[in-house]
């Protein structure tokens, strides 16, 4: 009897992991913004007697339990992604390792989520929960990109100063996210009425966050102009341009939400925007190099026309 090997589609699964990680940020924000952080007051069960929400828990229990279910879905996707990576022929160790690490990240997310509930939504633990999501989003994005590329080293497509500028932009983008987490921990949307805040002055820490945002936008605009100046590959110029546009949109949402006293819908949009800025940053920086097996030649500078006398 001939055995038939069923191969799972690795690239769509990696994309599903990326999307689900982004959705988890949105649903996690909904939990906090609706005051549903303790909708399920214990962990891993939702109540002392049930793993699922009950009618007595009301809408807050349903929202919190829905977020937990999405975490379970993310775990199943991570498992399927790892199996798909193992079944690839030939098997690519880099993809298998990365998909395994993403699976460990889901476990870490679940554990930190449990600690979040058991500590009564400690703002620092809540912040760590968000940071892990950003790390996993980065891993899922890289895995998704690698499924369309050969293994091996990547060759630069732009001069060293521009690659350095790209790295600095990435560091500042990460700093914007981290300070944004502190801003969130100082603000009013704690997830529950009894949850303490982190003690930072919301106005001062918001100003520090805004300063970093201005720096990030300035670096990104500089990267876009510099890529155009050296006739970098169109994909790199386009990725930098998309990053600038996403940042401007996110900055607009941030200013409006601040001056309108943090309405929940805008805060939720801002959380999604943070994820999109992070992904756009990774895309812009990754576009500065290409696989060595199939390098993309930089666009040639235009040659001035000559005329004969």
């Amino acid at each position: 009897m001939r055995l038939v090997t069923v191969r799972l589609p690795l690239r769509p699964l990696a994309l599903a992991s990326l999307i689900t990680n982004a959705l988890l940020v949105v649903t996690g924000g909904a939990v906090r913004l609706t005051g549903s952080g303790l909708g399920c007051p214990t962990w891993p069960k939702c109540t002392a007697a049930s793993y699922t929400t009950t009618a007595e828990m009301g809408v807050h229990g349903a929202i919190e339990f829905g977020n937990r279910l999405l975490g379970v879905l993310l775990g199943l996707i991570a498992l399927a992604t790892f199996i798909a990576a193992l079944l690839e022929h030939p098997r690519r160790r880099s993809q298998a390792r990365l998909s395994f690490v993403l699976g460990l990240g889901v476990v870490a997310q679940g554990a930190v989520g449990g600690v979040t509930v058991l500590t009564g939504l400690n703002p620092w633990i809540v912040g760590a929960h968000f940071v892990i999501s950003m790390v996993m989003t980065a891993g899922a994005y890289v895995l998704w990109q690698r499924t369309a590329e050969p293994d091996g080293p990547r060759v630069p497509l732009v001069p060293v100063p521009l690659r350095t500028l790209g790295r600095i932009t990435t560091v500042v983008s990460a700093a914007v996210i981290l300070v944004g987490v502190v801003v969130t921990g100082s603000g009013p949307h704690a997830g529950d009425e009894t949850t303490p805040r982190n003690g930072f002055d919301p106005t001062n820490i918001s100003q520090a966050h805004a300063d970093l945002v201005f720096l990030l936008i300035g670096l990104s605009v500089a990267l876009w102009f510099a890529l155009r100046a050296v006739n970098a590959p169109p994909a790199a110029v386009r990725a930098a341009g998309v990053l600038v546009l996403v940042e401007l949109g996110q900055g607009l949402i941030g200013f409006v939400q601040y001056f309108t006293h943090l309405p929940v819908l805008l805060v939720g949009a801002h959380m999604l925007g943070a994820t999109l800025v992070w992904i756009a940053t990774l895309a812009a920086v990754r576009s500065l190099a290409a696989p060595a097996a199939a390098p993309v030649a930089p666009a040639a500078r235009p040659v001035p026309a000559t005329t004969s006398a």
Side-chain angles (χ1 to χ4, degrees), residues 13-277:
L13 284 170
L15 179 59
S17 178
L18 175 62
I19 294 172
T20 307
N21 272 291
L23 288 176
L24 195 63
V25 171
V26 175
T27 60
V31 169
R32 182 169 56 82
L33 294 170
T34 58
S36 304
L38 296 178
C40 288
T42 187
W43 186 89
K45 291 184 177 181
C46 188
T47 70
S50 174
Y51 282 96
T52 63
T53 186
T54 62
E56 291 77 11
M57 307 299 292
V59 66
H60 293 311
I63 292 173
E64 164 64 10
F65 184 67
N67 185 57
R68 293 188 183 190
L69 281 181
L70 188 61
V72 173
L73 175 61
L74 181 60
L76 294 175
I77 292 173
L79 178 60
T81 303
F82 178 58
I83 294 173
L86 292 179
L87 294 178
E88 282 281 293
H89 184 75
R91 182 183 300 169
R92 298 170 60 183
R93 292 183 178 180
S94 63
Q95 293 183 354
R97 284 195 297 264
L98 186 52
S99 60
F100 178 73
V101 170
L102 286 173
L104 293 180
V106 174
V107 176
Q109 273 287 57
V112 173
V115 174
T116 299
V117 173
L118 297 177
T119 58
L121 307 182
N122 180 291
W124 298 106
I125 306 298
V126 172
H129 205 37
F130 181 80
V131 171
I132 293 175
S133 285
M134 293 297 99
V135 173
M136 291 186 61
T137 297
Y141 175 78
V142 171
L143 178 60
W144 178 55
Q145 289 294 321
R146 283 184 179 177
T147 57
E149 300 174 348
D151 283 330
R154 295 170 60 81
V155 296
L157 302 177
V158 298
V160 172
L162 290 189
R163 301 203 301 276
T164 301
L165 178 58
R167 295 187 189 100
I168 294 173
T169 302
T170 304
V171 171
V172 174
S173 183
V176 167
I177 291 173
L178 292 175
V179 176
V181 168
V182 180
V183 173
T184 298
S186 70
H189 300 298
D192 188 77
E193 295 179 355
T194 62
T195 300
R197 311 315 291 138
N198 60 24
F200 281 89
D201 179 79
T203 301
N204 292 337
I205 195 65
S206 295
Q207 183 61 57
H209 180 62
D211 292 341
L212 281 171
V213 169
F214 281 125
L215 175 59
L216 176 60
I217 293 175
L219 290 170
S220 302
V221 171
L223 179 63
W224 182 71
F225 274 113
L227 290 172
R228 289 173 58 88
V230 300
N231 279 339
V237 177
R238 186 166 53 250
V242 169
L243 173 60
V244 172
L245 291 176
V246 173
E247 288 170 350
L248 291 175
Q250 173 72 338
L252 177 62
I253 294 173
F255 275 106
V256 173
Q257 73 165 6
Y258 181 80
F259 289 109
T260 55
H261 306 294
L262 304 177
V264 293
L265 289 179
L266 284 181
V267 175
H270 199 55
M271 293 186 68
L272 175 60
T275 307
L276 296 179
V277 167

